[in-house]
């Protein structure tokens, strides 16, 4: 009993130490964002502000009058742009990938196995390879410098389809066959039986999709040219080009970028573990 208790204590301490190592950079990011300008550039870097200050957030988010003209970094509009793009991408992505994953798992149709093999093969191709031809196609379609051009490539995610498929495989076929014998249509079976069972997986997938769209930098940078359309990562990168030496300002921008997705994760964390286990590979 004593040995088991000692192992439990050591395991808890090990987890606590690992957790501290993981969150230390995040905590330091927050503290630096409240430091006065130039303080984080000292050596060794301070771990705590000598004076807590909101000036970095004020400069980043507020409009101010400079030489008779109003100026701001357009971070607040970029936040709304990112929220809109991420929400629409997540909603439309779920509408496309969840039914597709269910179809690959439970429906029988011609060419299903061949299509599944093609998806698995395409999964190993880096997304950057398709960016140039995709940009040329969107240019011909007139979708460059538009939110449609940002959103469309993320809708049919191969990982999302396979993730839902793997989770749907655990649903007993007998349950679906019984519903068919009772006269339920395939749409009714999907909405009334499959979707409630896939709720944790769907929420987890929605979280993945939202994070992927929120953090996406390269593709919006390529597609969007109008500063008024910039998403948050692109807007922060444009600030970094001129203020790379202002560590406190850039840390404030990092906090603004990280905080919404952190709050979303905390709100949905009770679904997260169940969703991961539901979509994992089963032997």
């Amino acid at each position: 009993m004593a040995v088991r208790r000692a192992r439990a204590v050591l395991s808890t301490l090990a987890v606590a130490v690992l957790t501290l190592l993981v969150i230390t950079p995040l905590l330091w990011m927050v503290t630096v964002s409240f430091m006065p300008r130039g303080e984080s550039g000292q050596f060794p870097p301070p771990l705590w502000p000598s004076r807590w200050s909101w000036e970095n957030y004020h400069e980043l988010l507020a409009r101010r009058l400079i030489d008779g003209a109003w100026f701001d970094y357009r971070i607040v509009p970029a936040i709304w742009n990112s929220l809109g793009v991420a929400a629409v991408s997540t909603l439309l992505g779920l509408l496309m990938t969840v039914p597709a994953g269910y179809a690959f798992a439970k429906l029988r149709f011609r060419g299903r196995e061949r299509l599944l093999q093609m998806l698995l093969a395409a999964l190993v191709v880096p997304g950057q390879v398709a960016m140039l031809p995709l940009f040329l196609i969107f240019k011909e379609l007139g979708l460059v410098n538009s939110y449609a051009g940002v959103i469309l490539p993320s809708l049919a995610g191969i990982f999302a389809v396979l993730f839902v498929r793997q989770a749907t495989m655990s649903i007993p076929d007998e349950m679906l066959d019984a519903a068919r014998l009772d006269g339920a249509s395939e749409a009714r079976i999907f909405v009334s039986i499959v979707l409630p069972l896939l709720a944790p997986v769907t929420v987890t997938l929605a979280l993945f999709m939202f994070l992927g769209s929120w953090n996406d930098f390269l593709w919006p940078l390529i597609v969007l040219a109008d500063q008024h359309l910039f998403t948050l990562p692109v807007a922060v990168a444009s600030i970094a080009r001129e203020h790379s030496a202002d560590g406190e300002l850039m840390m404030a921008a990092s906090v603004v970028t990280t905080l919404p997705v952190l709050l979303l994760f905390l709100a949905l964390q009770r679904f997260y573990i169940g969703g991961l286990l539901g979509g994992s590979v089963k032997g």
Side-chain angles (χ1 to χ4, degrees):
M1 182 65 68
V3 175
R4 184 180 302 175
R5 185 175 301 174
R7 288 179 179 176
V9 171
L10 291 177
S11 300
T12 303
L13 289 176
V15 171
V17 171
L18 290 175
T19 303
L20 183 62
L21 291 176
V22 170
I23 67 173
T24 294
L26 297 177
L27 296 177
W28 191 71
M29 175 183 72
V30 174
T31 57
V32 170
S33 69
F34 287 100
M35 290 181 182
R37 284 295 183 86
E39 187 172 353
S40 65
Q42 301 175 7
F43 186 83
L47 299 178
W48 205 256
S50 61
R51 174 177 60 85
W52 291 86
S53 172
W54 288 92
E55 60 180 325
N56 300 308
Y57 291 96
H58 184 269
E59 179 176 350
L60 186 69
L61 301 175
R63 298 184 67 194
R64 55 193 183 279
L65 193 62
I66 300 178
D67 297 331
W70 288 100
F71 170 81
D72 69 286
Y73 290 113
R74 299 199 59 80
I75 290 297
V76 175
I79 293 175
W80 289 111
N81 294 342
S82 285
L83 282 174
V85 169
V88 173
S89 298
T90 301
L91 178 60
L92 295 181
L94 290 175
L95 289 176
M96 295 185 66
T97 56
V98 175
Y102 165 72
F104 276 111
K106 294 300 182 181
L107 300 184
R108 301 291 182 266
F109 54 90
R110 185 175 181 181
R112 187 187 70 165
E113 298 302 325
R114 183 61 57 87
L115 286 174
L116 185 59
Q117 293 172 2
M118 292 174 61
L119 288 179
L120 291 173
L123 188 63
V124 301
V125 178
Q128 292 80 358
V129 174
M131 284 187 175
L132 178 57
L134 194 60
F135 176 81
L136 296 177
I137 294 173
F138 279 16
K139 184 178 180 182
E140 292 296 324
L141 295 175
L143 296 178
V144 173
N145 200 32
S146 69
Y147 289 136
V150 177
I151 293 172
L152 284 177
S154 63
L155 297 186
I158 299 175
F159 169 79
V161 174
L162 298 178
F163 187 76
V164 175
R165 174 188 177 272
Q166 192 62 41
T168 311
M169 295 288 288
S170 63
I171 299 176
D173 292 334
E174 293 78 6
M175 182 186 301
L176 306 182
D177 292 336
R180 294 187 181 101
L181 290 175
D182 288 339
S185 64
E186 292 297 333
R188 179 67 181 273
I189 292 173
F190 176 71
V191 172
S192 301
I193 299 177
V194 176
L195 276 184
L197 294 175
L198 292 181
V201 174
T202 304
V203 172
T204 302
L205 184 60
L207 183 60
F208 284 160
M209 288 182 170
F210 190 92
L211 291 177
S213 179
W214 180 271
N215 294 325
D216 192 14
F217 167 71
L218 186 57
W219 181 245
L221 178 66
I222 294 173
V223 174
L224 300 178
D226 188 352
Q227 184 181 6
H228 293 80
L229 300 178
F230 280 177
T231 56
L232 188 56
V234 180
V236 171
S238 65
I239 298 174
R241 287 196 294 266
E242 300 178 3
H243 298 274
S244 58
D246 297 333
E248 297 81 11
L249 181 65
M250 297 315 302
M251 288 299 182
S254 299
V255 171
V256 171
T257 304
T258 306
L259 186 60
V261 293
L262 180 60
L263 295 176
L264 179 65
F265 176 81
L266 292 176
L268 300 178
Q269 64 176 333
R270 66 191 184 95
F271 297 98
Y272 185 71
I273 300 300
L276 286 180
L277 295 177
S280 61
V281 178
K282 299 175 176 61

